[in-house]
Amino acid sequence: MDDEIGSVMMNVEEELVMPEIPIRPNTAIPAAVGVMMIIGGLMVAYAAFNAFTMSEMFNADDEEQLANQFSEAGAEITSEDINQYDDNFSSSAYRDWNGFLFTASALCLIGGGVQFYRGNRRGVSTSLTGAALLIISNVWGSMTSQEASSHLPEVAQLTFVTMYYIYACCGLFCLSSAALPMLFASGRAALTTPAKLQSREEE
């Protein structure tokens, strides 16, 4: 038995199949993410440089200025209190390891950015690793900062701890940006596996 659809005759055993529309790769998405990863990696590299080269967080002028700012805000803090916080923080285990954590994070972010820019799918995992290291290091830093500032008034403790949570939010931004190309079909199509990438370059 045949059914008529418009001017087309079809057998009952036949089915209409919609044609597959190829997804057009949008190389701008991974390229833009790659640039952001590289910029973020350079900023983290600068933080790693400071972590290795600076023995203390604040110098004498910084301590005096911070003490005055907290005093103006209603918290009675002296420069000696800030110096004690600096000493507590500088002698912590986090202070010994944060430079290495920032360096590893920077290398992963920059490497992932280059892979993104070249259209390599491995850039996703590399950048996610760098962002995760950045988040972990700053969460650890916030807990260390809270312990080091236990002798200070609450407003000062909150200030020093919040500073590291803000840095952790930068890691969250890198984390979400690294996953962005995978959320769009055109972004996924623009990322290839290393084998496909090599064959494309050979052509």
Side-chain angles (χ1 to χ4, degrees), residues 2-12 14-17:
D2 294 333
D3 295 329
E4 183 175 350
I5 302 178
S7 59
V8 179
M9 299 294 293
M10 293 187 59
N11 191 283
V12 291
E14 296 177 343
E15 295 181 1
L16 283 173
V17 179

Side-chain angles (χ1 to χ4, degrees), residues 95-122:
R95 189 66 180 82
D96 296 333
W97 286 97
N98 66 339
F100 297 102
L101 289 172
F102 285 145
T103 300
S105 174
L107 291 175
C108 288
L109 289 174
I110 294 173
V114 172
Q115 289 173 325
F116 265 126
Y117 197 81
R118 296 187 61 200
N120 191 332
R121 191 178 290 267
R122 284 183 178 173

Side-chain angles (χ1 to χ4, degrees), residues 24-36 116-117 177-191:
R24 185 177 181 181
N26 187 351
T27 57
I29 296 177
V33 172
V35 171
M36 288 191 292
F116 265 126
Y117 197 81
S177 297
L180 184 64
M182 304 304 294
L183 300 179
F184 300 95
S186 58
R188 291 194 299 271
L191 294 174

Side-chain angles (χ1 to χ4, degrees), residues 1 21 25 36 41 47 56-57 65 69 71 77 85 90 94-95 101 122 125 127 130 153 170 181-182 188 201:
M1 178 181 178
I21 301 175
M36 288 191 292
E56 293 184 343
M57 295 178 63
Q65 184 178 1
Q69 290 175 348
S71 297
I77 298 177
Y85 164 79
S90 298
Y94 171 77
R95 189 66 180 82
L101 289 172
R122 284 183 178 173
S125 57
S127 298
C170 296
M182 304 304 294
R188 291 194 299 271
E201 291 176 351

Side-chain angles (χ1 to χ4, degrees), residues 57-58 63 70 77-95 139-154 156-164:
M57 295 178 63
F58 309 118
E63 292 170 356
F70 282 122
I77 298 177
T78 64
S79 58
E80 287 75 15
D81 293 327
I82 302 297
N83 182 261
Q84 183 180 347
Y85 164 79
D86 200 350
D87 290 341
N88 294 341
F89 190 89
S90 298
S91 60
S92 65
Y94 171 77
R95 189 66 180 82
V139 170
W140 186 11
S142 69
M143 293 187 293
T144 303
S145 183
Q146 186 172 12
E147 294 176 2
S149 62
S150 59
H151 64 287
L152 297 177
E154 186 177 356
Q157 292 183 36
L158 186 62
T159 300
F160 288 126
V161 171
T162 303
M163 177 176 63
Y164 284 92

